[in-house]
Amino acid sequence: RVCFAASMASPSSPLVLRLLAASASVSRRAGSIIRDISTRKDVGIVLKGGRSDDPQTEADRTAQRCIISSLKHQFPSVTIIGEEDIENTPDQSLLHTDLDEDILKHTLPDNLQADGSDVVVWVDPLDGTSEFTAGFWNNVTVLIGIAVRGEAACGVIHQPFFGMSPDNPNPSSPPGRTCWGIKGVGAYGFSYTAPSDPARRSIASTRTHSTVLVKDTIEALKPTEQVHVGGAGCKVLMLLEGQVDVYAFASPGTSKWDTCAGQAMLEAVGGQLTDISGNRYRYTGDVRKKNTRGVLATLKADHAELVGLVPDSVKLGLSN
């Protein structure tokens, strides 16, 4: 659906703000595509690199084509990098050019004013593909991160199945939720609830990709509880909502498209997302795509203290 009123109402808005407004809107369209494909008996699974732990489905492929076609159509000077190694030829049938008018009402900080050559968009069209195929729908997100001069600046995390479950595929209210943030402005679409026990240290970590380094790190961080969930986007949302206190993954198993949106949203509300040694990730177009030194993310917890608890053997293991 093309909303000419929204597209025509905002040419004076800064490029990055319009790009975020377009990203939030197209994430909803991608979410609709994912829900539609989830109803098929055959979701078109292929194994990337022949690895059983890295599947790709028709939902991943079509959602990425929709997002990249739509954003490239509106912002041709911006670099857009998607997770899926597919031909991203423009597809008019998937073109979506609505802008989220609520986002356009905000004021972009001066340090995020930029032209297209300074901006890189990182797209994970379906974060949590293994969870998608296994029916863990609440773990599935669409991630669109916007970097300005290499820094995570804005992010969109859309949950296609929010309000749904395999047991309740037809909820009474429209499914899906879109959360977004701008560094220096704030993050929206969710609410934070403080834990009833201030001493709680609840750690979210991988559902399916555990290793010795992952286990050693979790043990060293001394959790009061562990939550095993899939998808980087889902774990960041759990942090933002206060469901967990730490997201720790001492593994090179995530990439820039997994973390750019979440890093921007956490930093927008005072949180942090770094590598396991406390170094912030950068998101220039030529950067290494793999997060080879793992992920450590917090909102209210003492990030530096947690970095100090990570064993040197883990930090060394991820630096090699």
Side-chain angles (χ1 to χ4, degrees):
R1 183 169 69 89
V2 178
C3 179
F4 291 105
S7 298
M8 293 171 61
S10 57
S12 61
S13 299
L15 179 144
V16 171
L17 195 65
R18 286 185 285 119
L19 179 58
L20 178 62
S23 297
S25 186
V26 78
S27 76
R28 298 183 188 105
R29 174 72 179 100
S32 177
I33 289 168
I34 292 166
R35 286 194 302 272
D36 289 345
I37 292 175
S38 74
T39 65
R40 301 178 186 175
K41 290 183 178 179
D42 181 2
V43 296
I45 298 174
V46 297
L47 302 180
K48 293 188 283 187
R51 292 173 46 191
S52 61
D53 64 345
D54 196 10
Q56 179 197 86
T57 70
E58 185 57 37
D60 298 80
R61 296 186 288 273
T62 306
Q64 177 163 304
R65 283 194 292 268
C66 171
I67 294 168
I68 292 183
S69 292
S70 300
L71 294 182
K72 266 297 183 187
H73 176 79
Q74 298 172 87
F75 306 95
S77 64
V78 169
T79 297
I80 304 174
I81 301 173
E83 175 183 8
E84 306 307 337
D85 186 15
I86 59 175
E87 188 68 36
N88 291 300
T89 53
D91 189 332
Q92 292 294 318
S93 68
L94 296 173
L95 206 61
H96 181 92
T97 57
D98 284 14
L99 301 181
D100 186 312
E101 295 187 28
D102 287 337
I103 292 176
L104 295 176
K105 296 174 183 176
H106 288 75
T107 300
L108 192 75
D110 289 343
N111 67 311
L112 298 185
Q113 303 283 346
D115 59 30
S117 63
D118 291 325
V119 178
V120 180
V121 179
W122 295 87
V123 176
D124 189 339
L126 197 167
D127 182 48
T129 302
S130 294
E131 287 66 34
F132 173 69
T133 60
F136 294 97
W137 286 356
N138 288 337
N139 293 179
V140 173
T141 58
V142 177
L143 303 177
I144 305 177
I146 300 171
V148 176
R149 289 177 284 274
E151 298 288 332
C154 309
V156 173
I157 302 179
H158 175 74
Q159 294 175 288
F161 298 104
F162 186 81
M164 293 178 63
S165 72
D167 296 329
N168 181 29
N170 298 299
S172 56
S173 58
R177 175 174 72 159
T178 306
C179 307
W180 59 274
I182 306 172
K183 191 174 177 182
V185 175
Y188 306 89
F190 60 91
S191 58
Y192 173 78
T193 302
S196 57
D197 180 2
R200 185 192 76 176
R201 181 175 287 173
S202 177
I203 298 183
S205 193
T206 179
R207 187 181 73 88
T208 56
H209 294 80
S210 190
T211 65
V212 171
L213 294 182
V214 169
K215 292 176 181 176
D216 287 351
T217 299
I218 298 297
E219 182 178 343
L221 295 179
K222 303 174 182 177
T224 59
E225 66 176 5
Q226 294 184 52
V227 181
H228 297 284
V229 294
C234 178
K235 295 183 189 72
V236 167
L237 280 178
M238 293 179 75
L239 271 177
L240 289 167
E241 293 187 313
Q243 297 180 50
V244 298
D245 307 297
V246 184
Y247 161 24
F249 188 42
S251 166
T254 67
S255 299
K256 299 299 184 294
W257 42 72
D258 295 305
T259 55
C260 184
Q263 182 173 329
M265 290 180 64
L266 280 166
E267 291 182 355
V269 291
Q272 295 187 64
L273 187 152
T274 68
D275 70 16
I276 212 73
S277 297
N279 303 301
R280 296 174 70 251
Y281 280 116
R282 286 183 56 79
Y283 297 91
T284 55
D286 59 353
V287 75
R288 177 185 291 179
K289 295 177 176 61
K290 278 285 184 184
N291 294 329
T292 55
R293 299 190 177 190
V295 173
L296 183 66
T298 57
L299 180 58
K300 304 290 186 179
D302 187 326
H303 198 86
E305 176 191 353
L306 292 166
V307 170
L309 290 175
V310 176
D312 289 341
S313 59
V314 172
K315 295 172 182 174
L316 182 62
L318 289 175
S319 67
N320 294 330

